[in-house]
Structures are given as structure tokens and as C-alpha cells.
Short mmCIF file of all heavy atoms in Angstrom, two decimals:
data_model
loop_
_atom_site.label_atom_id
_atom_site.label_comp_id
_atom_site.label_asym_id
_atom_site.label_seq_id
_atom_site.Cartn_x
_atom_site.Cartn_y
_atom_site.Cartn_z
N PRO W 1489 -14.94 -30.12 95.69
CA PRO W 1489 -16.04 -29.73 94.79
C PRO W 1489 -16.86 -28.58 95.37
O PRO W 1489 -17.22 -28.58 96.53
CB PRO W 1489 -16.88 -31.00 94.68
CG PRO W 1489 -15.97 -32.11 95.06
CD PRO W 1489 -15.00 -31.52 96.05
N GLY W 1490 -17.10 -27.57 94.53
CA GLY W 1490 -17.88 -26.42 94.95
C GLY W 1490 -17.06 -25.29 95.54
O GLY W 1490 -17.57 -24.21 95.77
N SER W 1491 -15.76 -25.54 95.80
CA SER W 1491 -14.93 -24.47 96.37
C SER W 1491 -14.58 -23.45 95.28
O SER W 1491 -14.78 -23.68 94.09
CB SER W 1491 -13.65 -25.06 96.97
OG SER W 1491 -12.83 -25.59 95.94
N ALA W 1492 -14.06 -22.33 95.72
CA ALA W 1492 -13.69 -21.27 94.78
C ALA W 1492 -12.59 -21.75 93.83
O ALA W 1492 -12.60 -21.41 92.64
CB ALA W 1492 -13.22 -20.03 95.54
N GLU W 1493 -11.68 -22.54 94.35
CA GLU W 1493 -10.61 -23.07 93.51
C GLU W 1493 -11.15 -24.02 92.45
O GLU W 1493 -10.73 -24.00 91.29
CB GLU W 1493 -9.58 -23.78 94.38
CG GLU W 1493 -8.37 -24.25 93.61
CD GLU W 1493 -7.36 -24.94 94.52
OE1 GLU W 1493 -7.62 -25.12 95.71
OE2 GLU W 1493 -6.30 -25.30 93.99
N ASP W 1494 -12.12 -24.84 92.83
CA ASP W 1494 -12.74 -25.76 91.88
C ASP W 1494 -13.49 -24.98 90.79
O ASP W 1494 -13.41 -25.32 89.62
CB ASP W 1494 -13.69 -26.70 92.61
CG ASP W 1494 -14.32 -27.71 91.68
OD1 ASP W 1494 -13.58 -28.34 90.91
OD2 ASP W 1494 -15.56 -27.87 91.72
N LYS W 1495 -14.19 -23.93 91.18
CA LYS W 1495 -14.90 -23.10 90.19
C LYS W 1495 -13.91 -22.43 89.24
O LYS W 1495 -14.16 -22.34 88.04
CB LYS W 1495 -15.75 -22.06 90.90
CG LYS W 1495 -16.93 -22.65 91.62
CD LYS W 1495 -17.70 -21.58 92.37
CE LYS W 1495 -18.83 -22.22 93.17
NZ LYS W 1495 -19.54 -21.22 93.98
N PHE W 1496 -12.79 -21.94 89.79
CA PHE W 1496 -11.77 -21.32 88.93
C PHE W 1496 -11.16 -22.34 87.97
O PHE W 1496 -10.94 -22.04 86.80
CB PHE W 1496 -10.67 -20.68 89.78
CG PHE W 1496 -9.56 -20.11 88.96
CD1 PHE W 1496 -9.73 -18.93 88.26
CD2 PHE W 1496 -8.34 -20.77 88.86
CE1 PHE W 1496 -8.71 -18.40 87.49
CE2 PHE W 1496 -7.32 -20.26 88.09
CZ PHE W 1496 -7.51 -19.05 87.41
N ASN W 1497 -10.89 -23.54 88.46
CA ASN W 1497 -10.32 -24.59 87.60
C ASN W 1497 -11.28 -24.95 86.46
O ASN W 1497 -10.86 -25.09 85.31
CB ASN W 1497 -9.98 -25.84 88.41
CG ASN W 1497 -8.77 -25.64 89.30
OD1 ASN W 1497 -7.96 -24.74 89.06
ND2 ASN W 1497 -8.65 -26.46 90.32
N ARG W 1498 -12.56 -25.08 86.78
CA ARG W 1498 -13.53 -25.40 85.73
C ARG W 1498 -13.66 -24.25 84.74
O ARG W 1498 -13.78 -24.46 83.54
CB ARG W 1498 -14.89 -25.75 86.35
CG ARG W 1498 -14.89 -27.15 86.92
CD ARG W 1498 -16.27 -27.59 87.34
NE ARG W 1498 -16.53 -27.01 88.68
CZ ARG W 1498 -17.66 -26.42 89.03
NH1 ARG W 1498 -18.65 -26.33 88.19
NH2 ARG W 1498 -17.82 -25.94 90.24
N TRP W 1499 -13.62 -23.01 85.25
CA TRP W 1499 -13.71 -21.85 84.36
C TRP W 1499 -12.49 -21.77 83.44
O TRP W 1499 -12.62 -21.53 82.24
CB TRP W 1499 -13.81 -20.56 85.17
CG TRP W 1499 -13.81 -19.34 84.34
CD1 TRP W 1499 -14.86 -18.80 83.68
CD2 TRP W 1499 -12.68 -18.51 84.03
NE1 TRP W 1499 -14.47 -17.68 83.00
CE2 TRP W 1499 -13.13 -17.48 83.19
CE3 TRP W 1499 -11.34 -18.53 84.40
CZ2 TRP W 1499 -12.30 -16.48 82.71
CZ3 TRP W 1499 -10.52 -17.55 83.92
CH2 TRP W 1499 -11.00 -16.54 83.09
N SER W 1500 -11.29 -21.99 83.99
CA SER W 1500 -10.09 -21.90 83.16
C SER W 1500 -10.01 -23.03 82.14
O SER W 1500 -9.46 -22.85 81.05
CB SER W 1500 -8.83 -21.87 84.03
OG SER W 1500 -8.67 -23.10 84.70
N GLU W 1501 -10.54 -24.20 82.46
CA GLU W 1501 -10.59 -25.28 81.47
C GLU W 1501 -11.58 -24.96 80.36
O GLU W 1501 -11.36 -25.28 79.20
CB GLU W 1501 -10.98 -26.60 82.14
CG GLU W 1501 -9.88 -27.20 82.98
CD GLU W 1501 -10.35 -28.44 83.72
OE1 GLU W 1501 -11.52 -28.84 83.53
OE2 GLU W 1501 -9.55 -28.99 84.47
N ARG W 1502 -12.69 -24.33 80.73
CA ARG W 1502 -13.71 -24.01 79.74
C ARG W 1502 -13.26 -22.86 78.83
O ARG W 1502 -13.43 -22.90 77.63
CB ARG W 1502 -15.02 -23.64 80.44
CG ARG W 1502 -16.19 -23.49 79.50
CD ARG W 1502 -17.45 -23.11 80.24
NE ARG W 1502 -17.42 -21.69 80.54
CZ ARG W 1502 -17.50 -21.16 81.74
NH1 ARG W 1502 -17.63 -21.93 82.80
NH2 ARG W 1502 -17.47 -19.86 81.93
N VAL W 1503 -12.67 -21.84 79.40
CA VAL W 1503 -12.28 -20.66 78.64
C VAL W 1503 -10.92 -20.86 77.99
O VAL W 1503 -10.77 -20.73 76.79
CB VAL W 1503 -12.28 -19.40 79.53
CG1 VAL W 1503 -11.73 -18.22 78.78
CG2 VAL W 1503 -13.68 -19.12 80.01
N GLY W 1504 -9.93 -21.18 78.76
CA GLY W 1504 -8.60 -21.41 78.23
C GLY W 1504 -7.84 -20.11 77.99
O GLY W 1504 -8.43 -19.08 77.68
N PRO W 1505 -6.53 -20.17 78.14
CA PRO W 1505 -5.72 -18.95 77.96
C PRO W 1505 -5.69 -18.46 76.51
O PRO W 1505 -5.57 -17.26 76.27
CB PRO W 1505 -4.32 -19.38 78.43
CG PRO W 1505 -4.32 -20.86 78.36
CD PRO W 1505 -5.73 -21.30 78.57
N THR W 1506 -5.85 -19.35 75.56
CA THR W 1506 -5.83 -18.93 74.16
C THR W 1506 -7.02 -18.04 73.85
O THR W 1506 -6.88 -17.02 73.18
CB THR W 1506 -5.83 -20.15 73.23
OG1 THR W 1506 -4.75 -21.02 73.59
CG2 THR W 1506 -5.69 -19.73 71.79
N ARG W 1507 -8.18 -18.40 74.36
CA ARG W 1507 -9.37 -17.58 74.12
C ARG W 1507 -9.24 -16.22 74.80
O ARG W 1507 -9.65 -15.20 74.24
CB ARG W 1507 -10.62 -18.30 74.60
CG ARG W 1507 -11.02 -19.41 73.65
CD ARG W 1507 -12.33 -20.04 74.01
NE ARG W 1507 -13.40 -19.05 74.01
CZ ARG W 1507 -14.46 -19.14 74.80
NH1 ARG W 1507 -14.59 -20.14 75.62
NH2 ARG W 1507 -15.40 -18.23 74.74
N ILE W 1508 -8.67 -16.19 75.99
CA ILE W 1508 -8.48 -14.91 76.68
C ILE W 1508 -7.55 -14.02 75.87
O ILE W 1508 -7.82 -12.82 75.68
CB ILE W 1508 -7.95 -15.14 78.11
CG1 ILE W 1508 -9.02 -15.84 78.95
CG2 ILE W 1508 -7.54 -13.83 78.75
CD1 ILE W 1508 -8.54 -16.31 80.29
N LEU W 1509 -6.45 -14.58 75.37
CA LEU W 1509 -5.53 -13.79 74.55
C LEU W 1509 -6.18 -13.34 73.25
O LEU W 1509 -5.91 -12.25 72.76
CB LEU W 1509 -4.26 -14.60 74.27
CG LEU W 1509 -3.31 -14.75 75.45
CD1 LEU W 1509 -2.17 -15.68 75.09
CD2 LEU W 1509 -2.78 -13.41 75.90
N LEU W 1510 -7.02 -14.17 72.66
CA LEU W 1510 -7.72 -13.76 71.44
C LEU W 1510 -8.70 -12.62 71.72
O LEU W 1510 -8.84 -11.71 70.90
CB LEU W 1510 -8.45 -14.96 70.83
CG LEU W 1510 -7.55 -15.95 70.09
CD1 LEU W 1510 -8.30 -17.23 69.81
CD2 LEU W 1510 -7.03 -15.35 68.81
N TRP W 1511 -9.36 -12.65 72.87
CA TRP W 1511 -10.23 -11.53 73.22
C TRP W 1511 -9.42 -10.25 73.41
O TRP W 1511 -9.82 -9.18 72.97
CB TRP W 1511 -11.01 -11.83 74.50
CG TRP W 1511 -12.04 -12.89 74.37
CD1 TRP W 1511 -12.68 -13.29 73.23
CD2 TRP W 1511 -12.56 -13.70 75.41
NE1 TRP W 1511 -13.56 -14.31 73.51
CE2 TRP W 1511 -13.51 -14.58 74.84
CE3 TRP W 1511 -12.33 -13.78 76.77
CZ2 TRP W 1511 -14.22 -15.50 75.59
CZ3 TRP W 1511 -13.03 -14.70 77.51
CH2 TRP W 1511 -13.96 -15.55 76.93
N LEU W 1512 -8.25 -10.37 74.07
CA LEU W 1512 -7.39 -9.20 74.24
C LEU W 1512 -6.88 -8.68 72.90
O LEU W 1512 -6.78 -7.47 72.69
CB LEU W 1512 -6.21 -9.55 75.15
CG LEU W 1512 -6.52 -9.70 76.63
CD1 LEU W 1512 -5.27 -10.16 77.38
CD2 LEU W 1512 -7.03 -8.40 77.21
N SER W 1513 -6.57 -9.59 72.00
CA SER W 1513 -6.14 -9.19 70.67
C SER W 1513 -7.26 -8.47 69.93
O SER W 1513 -7.02 -7.51 69.19
CB SER W 1513 -5.67 -10.40 69.87
OG SER W 1513 -5.21 -10.02 68.61
N THR W 1514 -8.50 -8.92 70.12
CA THR W 1514 -9.64 -8.25 69.51
C THR W 1514 -9.76 -6.82 70.02
O THR W 1514 -9.89 -5.87 69.23
CB THR W 1514 -10.94 -9.02 69.81
OG1 THR W 1514 -10.82 -10.33 69.30
CG2 THR W 1514 -12.13 -8.33 69.21
N LEU W 1515 -9.70 -6.66 71.33
CA LEU W 1515 -9.80 -5.31 71.90
C LEU W 1515 -8.64 -4.43 71.45
O LEU W 1515 -8.83 -3.25 71.12
CB LEU W 1515 -9.84 -5.40 73.42
CG LEU W 1515 -11.10 -6.01 74.02
CD1 LEU W 1515 -10.96 -6.16 75.52
CD2 LEU W 1515 -12.31 -5.15 73.68
N PHE W 1516 -7.44 -4.98 71.44
CA PHE W 1516 -6.27 -4.22 71.03
C PHE W 1516 -6.36 -3.81 69.56
O PHE W 1516 -6.00 -2.69 69.20
CB PHE W 1516 -5.00 -5.04 71.29
CG PHE W 1516 -3.74 -4.25 71.18
CD1 PHE W 1516 -3.43 -3.28 72.12
CD2 PHE W 1516 -2.86 -4.46 70.14
CE1 PHE W 1516 -2.27 -2.55 72.02
CE2 PHE W 1516 -1.71 -3.73 70.03
CZ PHE W 1516 -1.40 -2.77 70.98
N SER W 1517 -6.87 -4.68 68.71
CA SER W 1517 -7.03 -4.36 67.29
C SER W 1517 -8.06 -3.25 67.09
O SER W 1517 -7.90 -2.38 66.23
CB SER W 1517 -7.43 -5.59 66.50
OG SER W 1517 -6.42 -6.56 66.56
N ILE W 1518 -9.12 -3.26 67.89
CA ILE W 1518 -10.12 -2.20 67.80
C ILE W 1518 -9.52 -0.87 68.23
O ILE W 1518 -9.77 0.17 67.61
CB ILE W 1518 -11.36 -2.57 68.64
CG1 ILE W 1518 -12.09 -3.73 67.97
CG2 ILE W 1518 -12.29 -1.38 68.81
CD1 ILE W 1518 -13.20 -4.33 68.79
N VAL W 1519 -8.70 -0.88 69.26
CA VAL W 1519 -8.04 0.36 69.70
C VAL W 1519 -7.09 0.86 68.62
O VAL W 1519 -7.02 2.07 68.36
CB VAL W 1519 -7.30 0.12 71.04
CG1 VAL W 1519 -6.37 1.27 71.37
CG2 VAL W 1519 -8.29 -0.11 72.15
N ILE W 1520 -6.37 -0.04 67.98
CA ILE W 1520 -5.48 0.36 66.88
C ILE W 1520 -6.29 0.97 65.74
O ILE W 1520 -5.90 2.01 65.18
CB ILE W 1520 -4.64 -0.84 66.39
CG1 ILE W 1520 -3.62 -1.25 67.44
CG2 ILE W 1520 -3.94 -0.50 65.09
CD1 ILE W 1520 -2.90 -2.54 67.10
N ALA W 1521 -7.40 0.35 65.39
CA ALA W 1521 -8.23 0.88 64.31
C ALA W 1521 -8.77 2.26 64.65
O ALA W 1521 -8.80 3.16 63.80
CB ALA W 1521 -9.38 -0.08 64.02
N TRP W 1522 -9.16 2.44 65.89
CA TRP W 1522 -9.68 3.73 66.32
C TRP W 1522 -8.60 4.80 66.22
O TRP W 1522 -8.84 5.91 65.75
CB TRP W 1522 -10.18 3.62 67.75
CG TRP W 1522 -10.94 4.81 68.25
CD1 TRP W 1522 -10.74 6.12 67.96
CD2 TRP W 1522 -12.03 4.78 69.16
NE1 TRP W 1522 -11.62 6.90 68.62
CE2 TRP W 1522 -12.44 6.10 69.37
CE3 TRP W 1522 -12.69 3.77 69.82
CZ2 TRP W 1522 -13.48 6.42 70.22
CZ3 TRP W 1522 -13.73 4.11 70.66
CH2 TRP W 1522 -14.12 5.41 70.85
N SER W 1523 -7.39 4.47 66.68
CA SER W 1523 -6.30 5.46 66.62
C SER W 1523 -5.89 5.74 65.18
O SER W 1523 -5.57 6.89 64.84
CB SER W 1523 -5.11 4.99 67.44
OG SER W 1523 -4.56 3.82 66.90
N VAL W 1524 -5.91 4.73 64.31
CA VAL W 1524 -5.60 4.96 62.89
C VAL W 1524 -6.65 5.88 62.28
O VAL W 1524 -6.33 6.80 61.52
CB VAL W 1524 -5.53 3.62 62.12
CG1 VAL W 1524 -5.57 3.84 60.62
CG2 VAL W 1524 -4.29 2.86 62.50
N PHE W 1525 -7.91 5.67 62.63
CA PHE W 1525 -9.00 6.48 62.09
C PHE W 1525 -8.85 7.94 62.52
O PHE W 1525 -9.15 8.86 61.76
CB PHE W 1525 -10.34 5.93 62.55
CG PHE W 1525 -11.52 6.56 61.88
CD1 PHE W 1525 -11.87 6.20 60.59
CD2 PHE W 1525 -12.27 7.53 62.53
CE1 PHE W 1525 -12.95 6.77 59.97
CE2 PHE W 1525 -13.35 8.10 61.92
CZ PHE W 1525 -13.70 7.73 60.63
N GLU W 1526 -8.36 8.18 63.75
CA GLU W 1526 -8.20 9.54 64.23
C GLU W 1526 -6.94 10.22 63.71
O GLU W 1526 -6.91 11.43 63.56
CB GLU W 1526 -8.19 9.56 65.76
CG GLU W 1526 -9.51 9.23 66.37
CD GLU W 1526 -9.47 9.24 67.88
OE1 GLU W 1526 -8.37 9.37 68.45
OE2 GLU W 1526 -10.54 9.13 68.49
N ILE W 1527 -5.90 9.45 63.41
CA ILE W 1527 -4.61 10.03 63.06
C ILE W 1527 -4.51 10.38 61.58
O ILE W 1527 -4.04 11.47 61.23
CB ILE W 1527 -3.46 9.08 63.47
CG1 ILE W 1527 -3.37 9.01 64.98
CG2 ILE W 1527 -2.15 9.51 62.87
CD1 ILE W 1527 -2.40 7.98 65.49
#
């Protein structure tokens, strides 16, 4: 308890890989929209 590994485990349980991928998808979609707007 209190170690860096414990903090990472609690963070990954709270955030989860699905939420991280959804955030990446949000950023990627914004980049696509920006490039479509310029092209």
C-alpha cells in the first residue's frame, strides 16, 4: 500500500483502458475534422 505500483493499479482500475482509448478516439476525431476543414 502506498507504493508506486499500488498507485498505478488504483489509477488503472479507476480509469480503465476503454476510457483511455475513447479519449484517444476523441483526439483523433478532432484531428480528422481539422484536416477535413483544411482540405
Side-chain angles (χ1 to χ4, degrees):
S1491 67
E1493 185 179 4
D1494 183 48
K1495 290 177 184 176
F1496 176 75
N1497 288 340
R1498 283 189 279 135
W1499 176 82
S1500 66
E1501 287 175 3
R1502 189 181 79 238
V1503 174
T1506 306
R1507 285 186 59 210
I1508 293 171
L1509 287 174
L1510 284 167
W1511 291 336
L1512 287 175
S1513 182
T1514 301
L1515 292 174
F1516 192 70
S1517 297
I1518 291 171
V1519 168
I1520 290 172
W1522 189 325
S1523 64
V1524 165
F1525 189 78
E1526 291 180 353
I1527 291 173

